[in-house]
Amino acid sequence: MPATNQEQTLNIQVGGMTCAACQLHVRKALEKTPGVSEAAVNLMAGEAMVVFDPSKVGPDALLEAVRDSGYDAELPPPDVAEQEAREQAQIADARSLMHKAIVSLVLGSGAMWLSMQYMHDNWAHWALLVATLFVMTWAGGRIFTGAWRGALHRSMDMNTLVALGTGAAFVYSAAVTVVPGFFAARGIGHDVYFEAAIFILAFVITGRALEERAKRQTTKALRELMGLQAPTARVSREGVESEVPVSSVRTGDVIVVRPGENLPVDGEVIDGSSYVNEAMLTGEPDPVEKVAGSLVVGGTLNTLGSFRYRATTLGGASVLSRIVALMRQAQTSRAPIEAVADRISGVFVPTVIGLATLTLLGWVFTGHDWVQSAVAAVAVLIIACPCAMGLAVPTAVMVSAGRAAQAGLLVKGGAALEQLHAVDVVVLDKTGTVTEGRPRVVEASISDEALAWAAAVERRSEHPLARAVTEYADSRSLPLFEVTGLEAVPGRGVRGVVEGHTIAAGTAAFLGVDESNGGLLISVDGSLAGMLQIHDPIRETSRAAVGDLRSMNVRVVLLTGDRRPNAERVAEAAGIHDVIAEVLPEGKVSEIRRLQSEGRKVAMVGDGMNDGPALAQADVGIAMGSGTGVAIEAADVTLLRSDLRAVAQAVRLSRKTWRIIRQNLFWALAYNVIAIPAAALGLLNPIIASAAMAASSLTVVGNSLRLRKANLEH
């Protein structure tokens, strides 16, 4: 959900939502607020994400809009400690729900036994009335207050259906208990339905308790990431080490890290060395060596050595904080297909109430008594709860986002997931994507003396090839020389004086020699002294990644601004058959548009910086990066490890997620298509209907949770 430069994005924690209709009410209330351009509400996460213009509306007004729609609203806790406190409160609430569910089920069983053994005794009816009233107020109080609050705001949701069904059963049974003579005088039996009201509430509350547990499972990956934030940091100030809260760390502070500790903040190593486990960032289990000058990320785990580093990025700008923010965005955003479920949910509750009314009248007009007719109508109200419909898409998106993060992938929400599953062309940038982005000398025909002189000239250049020359010279432990009279000609070469000799490195035209070889040429005092072949090697995993994509019937295209011979060499090494070379940045955009005009769904993979226009034009933009050297907000998908196999994993995860979403929607719709007519015909009593309703929601959640263990290799 991108925001413009003037707009801001705000997350709001919403309480009291129980079904898809609730989710829809909150979203509509936010979208109708002046200044709001877009809103997404996630039932499972209990969150709303709002894009708004701060010059027209503020956070307080947005909170009030949610509250006016009948639901609780608050801003997310500002720090980890408050977040943990809130989560502990949620755990306690889930336990309370389960306790209420167990007590209600026990009382329901006792009520059923009592009504069967003493069905004609008025004292038993009074005992059942008291027990039912207790369950309705203590265990089901939220349901009835939610329904009342919805009525005040002219909205109907799951609470409305359950309250109407159980309320009708209770009111009728209470009337039979209080004035039995009235019913006897009219030939109506003394049957009561207290046990049905208790069981219905018990099953609904049980379902909600299990859903709360499932919600915690869907956000497990997010909680684990947040838990990586160290609460304190060991700071060295003026030579004195002290333990301070991480919120007190300042930019430039020197942090001391010991073996087995999580790094508290981002920074740069200044002395010492160690191996740091960055699995939370990249998904790769092997620790990475860190020495002076290396960048480190808060939340990663130091393994063996000790080192000191300087804090550079704090708070919300840190890598871990940005990852958490992006995961929240992913888990709260809406997949386009969710609009289908929203449209259905928007008319679902009033339609069900209408069907229940028709059922009641239909049974009465066909000769049945009012009691039988009311029971059938109540069953329709209960069975048609739209919970499963509201959970079908967001649960799959949330679990999928968590699974992606575990694999070192940041997928920005439901829209990206939905687009990824249909991708049939992956366009790869060359440098830094298929290749390592660090040119190396792969062949040399030059004396050590001439190489050392050439390295002296190249050491003053910023060109990538110059670094390859100096690194190669350093690897051979050649002496260092001073250079004077340096002259650099962009795109051609560099010239300078070393040890009294004029040294030039560059193209044949720059050196003034007749040489057709494509390597880097070196001359000493105008005479050709040697040649270096410099190539940017492909990543070790690139060929396997291309093969993996092709096995999924995805066409792979290499798109680069480099010369065709270099592009074709890289393509051949990586197993890529389609090559488009010598293309400027605007040309890359045109090539992607051409593929899209052919009906292709295109994913563009680049470095997230100089490929920005092409990433934006593609159906899905994928940025390569380590998570520290690249802005992770650059694309729809960010690979937190420089491994093209992650692209195939992202596509595979999207396809698995899409399959789960379709299954969820099918079962949610099929359940209602089958169950509502069965209830209307009297084939389902209210107790069985309430159990089936809870089972349908849990089926959808359980199906989505399978994505937590999704195999991304096959």
Side-chain angles (χ1 to χ4, degrees):
M1 184 186 296
T4 66
N5 292 335
Q6 293 76 30
E7 293 180 327
Q8 295 180 5
T9 300
L10 179 71
N11 281 353
I12 299 174
Q13 294 177 340
V14 183
M17 295 191 298
T18 57
C19 66
C22 304
Q23 180 177 273
L24 188 63
H25 294 323
V26 174
R27 182 169 66 83
K28 285 186 174 180
L30 288 168
E31 288 178 340
K32 288 190 293 187
T33 304
V36 172
S37 61
E38 192 173 354
V41 182
N42 189 305
L43 174 64
M44 287 297 287
E47 284 191 350
M49 187 166 63
V50 192
V51 178
F52 66 100
D53 184 343
S55 66
K56 297 179 181 178
V57 64
D60 290 342
L62 296 174
L63 293 175
E64 199 58 36
V66 176
R67 292 169 184 152
D68 286 345
S69 68
Y71 301 91
D72 300 325
E74 59 181 329
L75 296 177
D79 57 41
V80 174
E82 289 190 33
Q83 177 67 26
E84 289 178 351
R86 182 178 182 273
E87 289 201 353
Q88 290 303 314
Q90 290 174 333
I91 293 172
D93 187 46
R95 287 175 180 163
S96 174
L97 279 174
M98 187 55 72
H99 292 157
K100 291 177 179 179
I102 292 171
V103 171
S104 300
L105 288 170
V106 171
L107 286 176
S109 300
M112 182 171 288
W113 176 83
L114 194 64
S115 63
M116 291 174 64
Q117 294 294 320
Y118 305 99
M119 66 177 64
H120 299 301
D121 293 354
N122 195 246
W123 68 267
H125 291 179
W126 278 100
L128 290 171
L129 187 151
V130 172
T132 306
L133 194 59
F134 168 75
V135 170
M136 293 176 71
T137 53
W138 174 68
R142 290 185 188 178
I143 294 173
F144 291 96
T145 56
W148 175 249
R149 190 164 51 182
L152 292 177
H153 292 89
R154 298 180 181 179
S155 64
M156 294 180 285
D157 53 28
M158 173 190 171
N159 291 323
T160 306
L161 298 180
V162 176
L164 283 174
T166 56
F170 176 79
V171 170
Y172 173 81
S173 301
V176 170
T177 301
V178 174
V179 285
F182 175 83
F183 292 88
R186 288 159 178 77
I188 301 175
H190 294 96
D191 294 331
V192 292
Y193 296 91
F194 289 120
E195 74 280 6
I198 294 175
F199 266 123
I200 289 169
L201 291 171
F203 280 128
V204 171
I205 295 166
T206 301
R208 290 189 180 179
L210 294 174
E211 284 175 19
E212 286 298 320
R213 180 181 178 185
K215 287 178 183 179
R216 288 189 56 76
Q217 289 178 310
T218 61
T219 57
K220 182 180 179 181
L222 180 60
R223 292 197 311 278
E224 288 176 347
L225 276 177
M226 295 179 66
L228 293 173
Q229 174 70 67
T232 61
R234 190 177 296 103
V235 178
S236 176
R237 292 172 179 165
E238 299 180 356
V240 178
E241 290 185 16
S242 59
E243 199 91 9
V244 302
V246 72
S247 58
S248 299
V249 176
R250 301 188 297 266
T251 300
D253 275 346
V254 175
I255 312 295
V256 181
V257 182
R258 294 173 181 168
E261 294 181 341
N262 283 84
L263 277 63
V265 296
D266 299 355
E268 181 178 351
V269 177
I270 54 177
D271 59 57
S273 63
S274 183
Y275 283 83
V276 174
N277 187 324
E278 297 183 335
M280 75 92 181
L281 183 70
T282 65
E284 295 295 330
D286 295 333
V288 179
E289 184 179 14
K290 299 295 181 181
V291 296
S294 299
L295 298 179
V296 291
V297 177
T300 55
L301 176 65
N302 183 35
T303 57
L304 300 176
S306 298
F307 61 90
R308 299 192 310 157
Y309 72 96
R310 183 172 290 103
T312 57
T313 310
L314 308 176
S318 69
V319 171
L320 180 59
S321 294
R322 286 185 290 157
I323 291 174
V324 169
L326 283 171
M327 278 195 65
R328 284 190 178 280
Q329 176 181 328
Q331 294 188 336
T332 309
S333 65
R334 299 168 68 237
I337 194 174
E338 198 168 351
V340 177
D342 281 353
R343 286 195 294 270
I344 296 173
S345 300
V347 298
F348 198 79
V349 175
T351 300
V352 168
I353 292 175
L355 289 173
T357 303
L358 290 175
T359 299
L360 175 69
L361 297 176
W363 275 64
V364 169
F365 290 148
T366 53
H368 298 84
D369 62 41
W370 282 95
V371 176
Q372 292 175 305
S373 305
V375 168
V378 168
V380 170
L381 289 174
I382 299 301
I383 199 71
C385 170
C387 281
M389 182 66 64
L391 298 173
V393 180
T395 52
V397 170
M398 290 180 71
V399 178
S400 182
R403 179 66 185 92
Q406 291 173 348
L409 305 168
L410 278 181
V411 182
K412 295 186 179 178
L417 276 171
E418 187 168 331
Q419 292 278 22
L420 260 177
H421 94 276
V423 163
D424 55 6
V425 176
V426 170
V427 176
L428 304 176
D429 176 47
K430 181 179 73 68
T431 305
T433 301
V434 178
T435 68
E436 294 181 357
R438 287 183 65 92
R440 299 177 187 172
V441 175
V442 296
E443 182 182 342
S445 56
I446 189 173
S447 67
D448 282 353
E449 183 179 48
L451 175 61
W453 291 343
V457 175
E458 294 285 19
R459 209 174 293 277
R460 300 278 295 275
S461 172
E462 299 295 327
H463 196 281
L465 296 185
R467 184 170 61 181
V469 175
T470 58
E471 287 179 350
Y472 181 65
D474 291 343
S475 71
R476 297 175 64 86
S477 301
L478 299 180
L480 301 178
F481 294 102
E482 291 295 325
V483 60
T484 59
L486 189 71
E487 175 193 4
V489 179
R492 299 186 65 192
V494 62
R495 182 184 291 113
V497 178
V498 180
E499 295 291 293
H501 298 283
T502 300
I503 310 299
T507 64
F510 180 68
L511 271 62
V513 298
D514 183 15
E515 175 63 55
S516 59
N517 195 300
L520 179 72
L521 303 179
I522 311 295
S523 72
V524 177
D525 295 326
S527 299
L528 185 64
M531 180 270 296
L532 299 174
Q533 284 287 358
I534 301 176
H535 291 162
D536 184 5
I538 71 166
R539 299 184 187 277
E540 293 181 358
T541 56
S542 291
R543 189 174 184 89
V546 170
D548 201 2
L549 286 166
R550 291 175 61 186
S551 71
M552 292 188 288
N553 295 319
V554 175
R555 176 184 169 193
V556 181
V557 178
L558 184 67
L559 181 62
T560 178
D562 201 356
R563 295 184 304 116
R564 177 162 289 278
N566 289 341
E568 290 179 344
R569 175 185 56 80
V570 169
E572 182 179 3
I576 301 173
H577 299 155
D578 294 340
V579 179
I580 304 172
E582 302 177 15
V583 179
L584 296 175
E586 57 268 26
K588 291 184 177 182
V589 173
S590 299
E591 289 294 337
I592 289 175
R593 285 176 179 162
R594 180 181 62 79
L595 290 168
Q596 291 171 326
S597 69
E598 296 173 359
R600 300 282 194 166
K601 287 290 184 181
V602 182
M604 170 68 190
V605 187
D607 61 15
M609 292 178 285
N610 57 9
D611 290 313
L615 290 171
Q617 177 61 41
D619 296 288
V620 181
I622 303 176
M624 296 279 289
S626 65
T628 54
V630 65
I632 60 178
E633 296 89 350
D636 302 307
V637 180
T638 302
L639 312 182
L640 296 181
R641 64 186 198 273
S642 298
D643 184 346
L644 271 181
R645 290 177 299 182
V647 177
Q649 291 178 347
V651 174
R652 188 171 283 115
L653 176 62
S654 173
R655 292 182 179 182
K656 290 177 183 288
T657 304
W658 184 251
R659 191 179 306 122
I660 290 291
I661 287 174
R662 286 186 297 182
Q663 291 170 358
N664 287 351
L665 289 173
F666 170 79
W667 287 113
L669 287 169
Y671 160 81
N672 283 297
V673 168
I674 296 170
I676 292 177
L681 294 173
L683 302 177
L684 292 176
N685 67 44
I687 296 176
I688 295 176
S690 61
M693 178 271 296
S696 70
S697 297
L698 295 177
T699 298
V700 165
V701 173
N703 192 41
S704 297
L705 287 174
R706 294 195 296 130
L707 287 167
R708 289 178 59 195
K709 305 295 183 182
N711 185 346
L712 303 186
E713 303 298 330
H714 304 287

